[in-house]
Amino acid sequence: VKAHISNNIRKLRFENDEMSQQALADVVGVTRQTVFAIEKSKYSPSLEVAFRIAEVFEVPLDEVFQYTSKR
Amino acid sequence: VNLNNVTFKEKSTWVSLVIMLFVYYGYFSRVLDGFLNNSLNKGENVGLFIGAVVVLVIFQVVFQIIAALSNVKDADQPTDERDRLFAVKAGNASGWVLSGCVLTIALLIFVEDLNSIWAANLLVLALVISQVVCYIVTLFYYRRGY
């Protein structure tokens, strides 16, 4: 089963006063490059980081990340 | 590739890979020359080996400092979960390669009755190969994503 995890982080940053990748990275506790990789779907973060991102934007997890399985 | 989106850890891995290949290409080409000319003795080989290690350490220190100075802010960031995950995956692959190489060398020593210079150089080669695999797997994950 191949899975794909997409996300709305770019949109959520825009809606939160154009929050920078660095600002989000600092709050979440990862590097700016990791936020960039997550946004581009080149890295699937741990559950903990995923929940922290959702917490920053004050939205449920599934508003940040969407899971699609490709069978 | 936008270098702003490349972590210091990835840049540092590229630097380490290039230095490793450069230094040990020099080392093994000299050792091979010595073998082919029948002019390499234990003392000379030990000298070459220590020289290679010293050059490797000096190059690593100098070029890692240059890489860090090129973007102090990035270099100052602690490693995060992505860096640690890739390091674990690369270390795992590298461990398998090292085990395979060491077992092969052990078999060669038993079967071919290799002398100590051959055995030592094959073990050094095994270490170099496993470390190069470690760097390449790390870079593969940074480039391709995970």
Side-chain angles (χ1 to χ4, degrees):
Chain A
V1 181
K2 219 178 167 192
H4 178 70
I5 297 174
S6 57
N7 67 81
N8 296 319
I9 296 175
R10 176 71 194 89
K11 179 173 155 272
L12 288 163
R13 283 198 301 112
F14 177 76
E15 288 169 358
N16 281 266
D17 297 331
E18 196 63 72
M19 177 189 272
S20 68
Q21 289 177 337
Q22 186 65 63
L24 178 60
D26 290 343
V27 181
V28 170
V30 296
T31 61
R32 187 191 61 74
Q33 289 84 357
T34 294
V35 169
F36 172 80
I38 296 170
E39 268 189 27
K40 295 281 173 196
S41 296
K42 282 185 83 181
Y43 174 65
S44 299
S46 65
L47 261 181
E48 192 181 344
V49 166
F51 273 112
R52 270 193 239 145
I53 292 171
E55 193 179 31
V56 170
F57 295 124
E58 295 174 338
V59 292
L61 189 62
D62 61 359
E63 266 188 46
V64 185
F65 295 98
Q66 295 77 42
Y67 172 82
T68 322
S69 80
K70 293 171 184 171
R71 285 183 185 272
Chain B
V1 178
N2 181 350
L3 284 181
N4 279 334
N5 294 325
V6 175
T7 59
F8 173 71
K9 185 79 188 136
E10 184 181 343
K11 288 178 195 160
S12 162
T13 307
W14 277 111
V15 168
S16 299
L17 175 65
V18 171
I19 291 172
M20 188 78 150
L21 291 174
F22 176 76
V23 170
Y24 281 100
Y25 171 76
Y27 171 80
F28 283 113
S29 57
R30 281 173 184 222
V31 168
L32 202 62
D33 274 350
F35 272 130
L36 295 176
N37 301 328
N38 236 351
S39 62
L40 192 74
N41 57 44
K42 250 186 204 176
E44 198 179 330
N45 201 156
V46 170
L48 273 176
F49 176 69
I50 293 172
V53 172
V54 170
V55 170
L56 185 82
V57 171
I58 291 171
F59 277 18
Q60 282 283 5
V61 170
V62 171
F63 286 101
Q64 295 292 353
I65 288 173
I66 292 170
L69 289 176
S70 71
N71 193 336
V72 178
K73 200 179 156 199
D74 273 358
D76 224 18
Q77 290 188 106
T79 54
D80 67 9
E81 63 168 38
R82 189 168 68 121
D83 299 319
R84 287 190 292 273
L85 176 69
F86 295 170
V88 167
K89 290 196 156 285
N92 192 19
S94 167
W96 278 105
V97 170
L98 184 61
S99 305
C101 287
V102 168
L103 287 175
T104 308
I105 294 165
L107 200 66
L108 276 172
I109 293 171
F110 286 134
V111 176
E112 296 291 332
D113 200 20
L114 292 182
N115 68 35
S116 59
I117 295 184
W118 265 105
N121 278 304
L122 285 174
L123 285 171
V124 173
L125 183 63
L127 276 175
V128 171
I129 291 171
S130 72
Q131 194 55 53
V132 166
V133 166
C134 184
Y135 293 144
I136 289 174
V137 172
T138 304
L139 293 171
F140 170 78
Y141 281 119
Y142 276 119
R143 291 291 88 220
R144 195 211 64 171
Y146 179 78

